[in-house]
Amino acid sequence: MKFSYNWLQSFFSESLPEPEKLAELLTMHSFEVEEVEKKDEDHILAIDILPNRAHDCLSHLGVAKEIAALTDSKLKNPSPGLARLGRESKKLLQVDIQDKSLCPRYTAYVVEGVKIADSPEWIKERLASMNQKPISNIVDITNYIMWELGQPLHAFDFDKINGANMNIRLAKQGEKLETLDGAAHDLGADAIIIEDESRIIDLAGIKGGANTQIDSSTKTIIFQAAIFDAARIRKAAQKLGIKTDAAVRYMHGFDQNLPPQALERAIELLRETNPKVKIVQKIDIYPSPQKSKKIAIDTRYVNSLLGTDISKKKMKQILEKLGFGLTSLTGGFKIKDLGFKFTVDVPAYRLDIDAAQDVIEEIGRIYGYENIKPIAPQGTLAVPRRNEQVFWRSRARDILSGFGFSEVYNYSMIPKSQEEDYAFPLLELTNPISDEFQYLRPWLMHGVLKNIASNKKYFEAIKLFEIGRVFFQEGEDIREEENFIFALTGKENAANGFYEVKGYADEFLKKLGINDFYFDPTFSEEDEKYHGLLLHPARRAIIRADNNFVGFVGEVHPDILSKFGVEGKVYCAEFNFDKISAAAEEEHIYQKPSKYPEVVRDIAVLVPRGTMVVEALNAINSVSGPLLRDIDLFDMFEGENLPEGMKNLAFHLIFQSDKKTLTSQEVDEIMSKITKVLEENLWEVR
Amino acid sequence: MEELDKIKKEINSASDLKELDGIYKKYLGKKGEVALALRSIGDLSEREKKERAPQLQSLKKEIEEEVLKRSSELKSSGAEEALRGEWLDVTAPGKKAELGHLHPLTQIQQKVNEIFSSLGFEIVEGPELETEWYNFDALNIPKDHPSRDIWDTFWMQDKELLLRTHTSPVQIRHMEKHQPPIRIIAPGRVFRHEASDASHDIQFYQLEGLMVDKDMSVANFKAVINEFLSQLFGENVKIRLRPSFFPFVEPGFEVDMYGPKGWMEMLGAGMVHPNVFKAAGYNPVNWQGFAFGIGLDRIAMMKYKIDDIRLLYSGDLRFLKQF
């Protein structure tokens, strides 16, 4: 809220510190002053009133009370005594409240002899400092009181009220009201309204009705200062989309002692232009007055929580400056382990103070956080437990960046249009910010494809990876898991991209200490449903470790690519990283290299095109025995010079013993077994 | 000896191996002068033999040594010459090394994790899809209360779930399962339903910190946060605490750090509210603690002078390859 320096000064006889200095004091001890702006003869302070103090500090009086405590000055109360205001003489109006919870206090004065006029210059000036145009003496007073004391006021033209009864109740569905600004509102079931005998005349706490507004011929008014239920005002204001200054104040609630004070001040101000006005009726419905609060504190706890050594005397001083009352519970004696113990009486306007910690905050901020000296915490020295997920995540990132992949972060939400790419239900937001962010991502692939599409303009070869949470529903369960994806595209990858990405996947898993895994070309019904649609049906594999799904690898389906406008091919591997980090293993056992030479023999087999390399490997392994240390596929060829429908596989077979040098006779024996088993499969050994 | 000096001079003036070979042959070849003299030594008298033989032997040795020396000189200068022919332009660019890039937010998170780990804090994580209880109720943010309006929230369809608006729910989840002393940080992604601009986005990263023990104090918090910010931004940062409000702490404060543009808001913090201890199943009489929350995107933006938060989530390699 904006505050006028001159207005704040009006509460004090002594002069306040310079505006900049005052701003500094407030920032360090109460609320941040965001800006100090010189305006004519005044300075305007933009003060960010904290939400827990909105009930007492969205007013000049509230901030003046803070200033009084900060500068140790005495506050002048602007309200006059009630006695000067005269007695009630008539019974013109009857007010009924249907449900007491709607309106804990209803206070109103019926005032006769009103003459509509311009406000005095000084009031106009104050309103101008709040950027409020002056309207008339009555309307200006309602605004003035709100900014001075924080109490919203409303004025009805008494003669426009039908009948002698006003009733306060909740609106019914379908009821309407035209407010002061001329706008018509459909009132929902949460709005509190006031009605006369025939119609609704006020959207209580938010805006008055046009039907009973003050005009130039108004003679008798009802000045209303009520307290309406905060939660209902908040709901109604949100639903109707009207956030008036009055509504904001009601939402936060305020001191229930305020309404009569506000009315007295209003009458005092009215007498500046209408010296002869008469209060003819006073209404004050206040069935259960606000209870005063007492809180026990002890000096030991105060100093322990703040980490200070503030004396009892100093604490007392601070609290009394803020308007708290203090009673010693220990007769001024110090009690072991507690220090001095007090009961604190909380001022009625401090709705935010409920517990000892709230009182301690008051002591701390006025004492000044800058006066609290840092103290290193004491405790047992312990090495923190390692977070495995964080550790492996960092290891995985290093591996991928070592492979030349760059890391991206995408949004957790994906567009509405992508729903059709999934054969399972996605989790949908109730209030998405736009169609672009409608669902939670079930896989990371879409984000990465979007990145590839947008980077294609600038880069030909792209290698990206991302790690992040994904979300989906499985039966009744909502699942949140961490996934890891890497993807590549580029001219050089056109032919061998699949094997390139598979090679990275292979090395990635091994570097994480996972060795027992394989690439499975068979997709179960479940696999098909969750990620089959995303991949080229003939170029994809499920990666299983210990026979469990840990991820998939493949060429991205051309239909998906064309949706993203990506030309060429994209290859990717996406892992369930929770499963990866659970299987990852840091322990590693060293294998001593053999002292004896290795013998390398090559073998080529002509097999039908559909035969998988793994079948040939399995055949070789079934007869080779322990001396065959490694098999390396160095060529896979089909086409010219080969019979139609066949392909040629060429392997290096590496033989080695760790006990002796192998003779060629020993190797020949194994080779002939291998040749035999391959031929038994009806494959031609070349 | 005069003879020897003359021969040495001749050897050292040989300009290539071929010439040197000619000189060698001239003295020590089959018909070489010195070779012939040595061969004919038997024709001399015993007395002359005694005097002449050692002279010739030594001359032969000296010549051989000198030729060898000269020959290695000539060889190495020839190799040098050949290497000079393999000249490269060292100012031409090197072959591009293809290392990938870690995202700036990853780098900031790793740095922050490292600092807090060295201070004895354990790293814990929690779900991004949260319940209303952990995100609001347990943190002393009541339903239908204006304080809840600070956190604009994404809600899930038909579910009692929301996207967490801060990392503070991790405090509750951790305290439910662990007893003090507690010293944790909880970094992670959070979400806010708000219009995005250069300094706001619908998602960002936060780091929560929590320390609970018998007598944790504001003074302890000041020491820890000062140490953290000093390590992150370099020695001796200047900080200040000023009053602020978060429902889950009391007292609550904002921490500002002094920078080139004056005081900058860095993080929110405070002493854990007794209602939060209660919600986590602690007896608030027994424990005191402080909690804080830092926006990591803002730190990355400050450190790398990034002027638009949305660049972090753009996947633009022209941006990412700079890190």
Side-chain angles (χ1 to χ4, degrees), chain A residues 221-233:
Chain A
I221 61 166
I222 304 170
F223 254 147
Q224 166 187 294
I227 293 185
F228 297 106
D229 179 56
R232 286 202 181 84
I233 298 281

Side-chain angles (χ1 to χ4, degrees), chain B residues 31-306:
Chain B
K31 288 178 186 162
E33 291 170 27
V34 179
L36 286 175
L38 269 168
R39 239 178 284 147
S40 60
I41 208 153
D43 303 341
L44 299 175
S45 68
E46 278 306 307
R47 202 176 58 86
E48 274 176 328
K49 220 188 262 176
K50 242 186 192 159
E51 189 194 341
R52 191 68 181 137
Q55 275 179 3
L56 283 170
Q57 286 296 352
S58 124
L59 183 62
K60 183 188 173 195
K61 203 174 152 230
E62 292 271 1
I63 293 171
E64 279 174 339
E65 277 174 7
E66 200 61 26
V67 167
L68 209 62
K69 203 180 103 206
R70 182 61 188 159
S71 121
S72 85
E73 272 174 24
L74 285 174
K75 272 184 196 160
S76 78
S77 80
E80 276 300 310
E81 197 59 36
L83 289 182
R84 251 173 231 123
E86 294 171 18
W87 178 83
L88 283 185
D89 178 2
V90 295
T91 65
K95 192 184 170 195
K96 213 162 185 115
E98 270 299 335
L99 263 188
H101 303 264
L102 291 181
H103 195 280
L105 280 170
T106 293
Q107 297 189 35
I108 290 292
Q109 283 180 71
Q110 287 178 343
K111 177 85 191 148
V112 168
N113 287 354
E114 198 179 291
I115 295 172
F116 277 110
S117 294
S118 75
L119 294 173
F121 283 73
E122 187 183 328
I123 306 167
V124 298
E125 297 182 325
E128 291 173 8
L129 202 51
E130 258 302 357
T131 64
E132 198 174 356
W133 164 259
Y134 285 111
N135 196 72
F136 290 124
D137 304 341
L139 291 166
N140 196 34
I141 310 168
K143 277 196 183 66
D144 292 324
H145 195 269
S147 63
R148 207 176 265 211
D149 294 348
I150 310 171
W151 295 276
D152 297 314
T153 310
F154 285 111
W155 293 89
M156 300 310 297
Q157 200 110 130
D158 309 324
K159 304 284 177 316
E160 296 285 293
L161 293 171
L162 51 87
L163 290 174
R164 66 173 174 191
T165 58
H166 43 192
T167 41
S168 309
V170 186
Q171 287 182 30
I172 308 287
R173 288 180 174 274
H174 188 78
M175 285 193 283
E176 280 177 340
K177 296 203 176 93
H178 300 84
Q179 283 300 307
I182 280 175
R183 213 183 258 212
I184 58 160
I185 53 164
R189 184 176 280 200
V190 302
F191 304 85
R192 298 277 168 89
H193 188 284
E194 58 185 15
S196 63
D197 58 34
S199 45
H200 299 87
D201 207 345
I202 55 172
Q203 68 183 28
F204 53 98
Y205 279 78
Q206 216 176 42
L207 177 117
E208 191 79 8
L210 175 70
M211 194 161 173
V212 180
D213 211 332
K214 286 270 169 235
D215 47 13
M216 279 297 127
S217 66
V218 176
N220 293 152
F221 168 72
K222 273 184 104 167
V224 169
I225 213 65
N226 202 41
E227 181 64 26
F228 164 67
L229 290 173
S230 295
Q231 287 205 31
L232 188 63
F233 289 98
E235 287 312 295
N236 293 325
V237 296
K238 214 166 111 191
I239 63 160
R240 71 177 190 190
L241 267 56
R242 54 185 171 77
S244 190
F245 171 71
F246 308 97
F248 31 93
V249 289
E250 191 71 31
F253 21 79
E254 204 79 55
V255 180
D256 294 343
M257 189 176 88
Y258 197 75
K261 287 178 192 159
W263 290 104
M264 281 174 304
E265 205 170 294
M266 292 301 296
L267 57 120
M271 304 306 294
V272 179
H273 197 286
N275 290 349
V276 172
F277 279 143
K278 275 186 222 156
Y282 285 10
N283 182 347
V285 174
N286 298 336
W287 303 111
Q288 292 172 204
F290 62 75
F292 54 90
I294 310 169
L296 295 177
D297 301 60
R298 245 174 64 83
I299 300 222
M301 291 169 79
M302 277 172 63
K303 270 194 96 96
Y304 303 123
K305 308 256 184 295
I306 299 167

Side-chain angles (χ1 to χ4, degrees), chain A residues 95 97 102-109 150-154 156 166 168 192 194 202 204-205 223-229 233 246 249-250 253-256 258-260 262-263 283-285:
Chain A
V95 176
I97 305 171
L102 299 181
C103 180
R105 184 168 196 172
Y106 185 88
T107 312
Y109 292 173
Q151 167 76 57
L153 288 190
H154 181 58
F156 296 97
M166 282 189 356
I168 301 172
I192 304 169
I194 302 177
D202 186 22
F223 254 147
Q224 166 187 294
I227 293 185
F228 297 106
D229 179 56
I233 298 281
R249 282 164 181 80
Y250 277 118
F254 46 81
D255 179 11
Q256 299 188 356
L258 201 50
L263 287 179
I283 298 160
D284 191 10
I285 306 168

